[in-house]
Amino acid sequence: MSKVSVYNMKGEAVGEIELNDEIFGVEVNEHLLHLAVVAQLANKRQGTQSAKTRSEVSGGGKKPWRQKGTGHARQGSIRAAQWTGGGIIFAPKPRDYEMKLNKKEKRIALKSALTTRAQEAKVFVIDELKVEEIKTKTMVNLFKGLNLDKALVVLNTNDQNVICSTRNIANVKTALTNTINVFDILKYDALVLDKAALATIEEVYA
């Protein structure tokens, strides 16, 4: 098992803790990482875009001029695509972009993402991630102490003091242990969590 330092809220190292190799030491499956990210981004799409084809725009029932003898190119309708106000060729229509991964694939992808952060030494464990009052400066000082600019903070409980203290910090996002996903883990440079959150993740995904 690999060891990482445990820090206090001032960003000072106060000990070490071992990471479970079943979660933070697996073989990274880049293909499933890619599929998981693509699926998550695709599932965010509303798929409500729509435009009218030439059969749906109004007007254009009459041939604008006779077929021959006018010197113009032949035209059948003023609502063809080349006319102003005409229909759109291959117009986009509402569709469902949903992609599905099975549970085993999601699990492997998440473990691969966590392992990637562990291999990069970007997993930071806090002894107890807690603030007495909503104060952004407290969290800013923590990230300065850890020398972090872009981080995903994982909480074991819905601690509003911590959430509200971090929401105004650029490039920092909070998530609960049951809402972490591959996209967020890879998007942010580091993973910050306390011992309780780490224990929950290791219990659920081991």
Side-chain angles (χ1 to χ4, degrees):
M1 291 186 176
S2 59
K3 290 185 177 181
V4 295
S5 297
V6 177
Y7 300 88
N8 59 20
M9 286 298 293
K10 295 180 181 179
E12 302 168 339
V14 294
E16 287 186 334
I17 193 171
E18 289 186 342
L19 299 178
N20 190 338
D21 283 343
E22 291 184 20
I23 299 172
F24 294 93
V26 301
E27 183 180 349
V28 176
N29 190 320
E30 293 185 1
H31 176 62
L32 285 182
L33 282 177
H34 173 73
L35 286 182
V37 171
V38 170
Q40 187 172 340
L41 293 177
N43 293 341
K44 283 184 177 181
R45 298 185 67 175
Q46 289 183 316
T48 55
Q49 76 280 31
S50 183
K52 292 182 178 181
T53 64
R54 62 182 294 173
S55 66
E56 295 169 320
V57 293
S58 60
K62 181 182 177 183
K63 188 174 173 66
W65 50 73
R66 58 195 174 96
Q67 182 82 347
K68 294 179 178 295
T70 63
H72 297 295
R74 55 192 174 188
Q75 300 291 336
S77 170
I78 61 169
R79 289 298 173 253
Q82 70 270 21
W83 288 74
T84 300
I88 304 298
I89 299 174
F90 306 126
K93 292 297 178 185
R95 55 166 290 193
D96 185 6
Y97 289 93
E98 184 180 5
M99 290 179 61
K100 290 184 179 181
L101 295 180
N102 62 44
K103 289 182 180 180
K104 187 175 182 181
E105 289 175 327
K106 289 180 182 178
R107 200 178 189 88
I108 294 173
L110 187 63
K111 288 182 178 182
S112 294
L114 292 171
T115 297
T116 299
R117 286 291 167 257
Q119 290 175 347
E120 297 171 348
K122 292 295 184 179
V123 176
F124 296 86
V125 180
I126 311 301
D127 188 22
E128 187 178 12
L129 194 55
K130 188 176 182 180
V131 293
E132 297 300 327
E133 59 179 338
I134 298 174
K135 200 169 185 67
T136 303
K137 189 175 181 180
T138 303
M139 297 303 295
V140 170
N141 289 337
L142 171 62
F143 296 131
K144 282 184 178 179
L146 298 175
N147 196 25
L148 298 178
D149 294 321
K150 193 175 183 181
L152 176 66
V153 180
V154 182
L155 305 174
N156 193 45
T157 59
N158 191 17
D159 189 333
Q160 287 300 310
N161 282 0
V162 175
I163 293 173
C164 293
S165 296
T166 57
R167 66 184 176 188
N168 285 335
I169 305 175
N171 298 321
V172 173
K173 180 179 180 178
T174 57
L176 297 177
T177 52
N178 60 348
T179 64
I180 57 175
N181 57 75
V182 174
F183 178 77
D184 284 341
I185 293 172
L186 296 181
K187 177 181 178 181
Y188 293 90
D189 295 338
L191 190 65
V192 178
L193 65 170
D194 61 9
K195 285 183 176 179
L198 178 62
T200 300
I201 290 174
E202 290 184 340
E203 180 183 352
V204 172
Y205 295 103

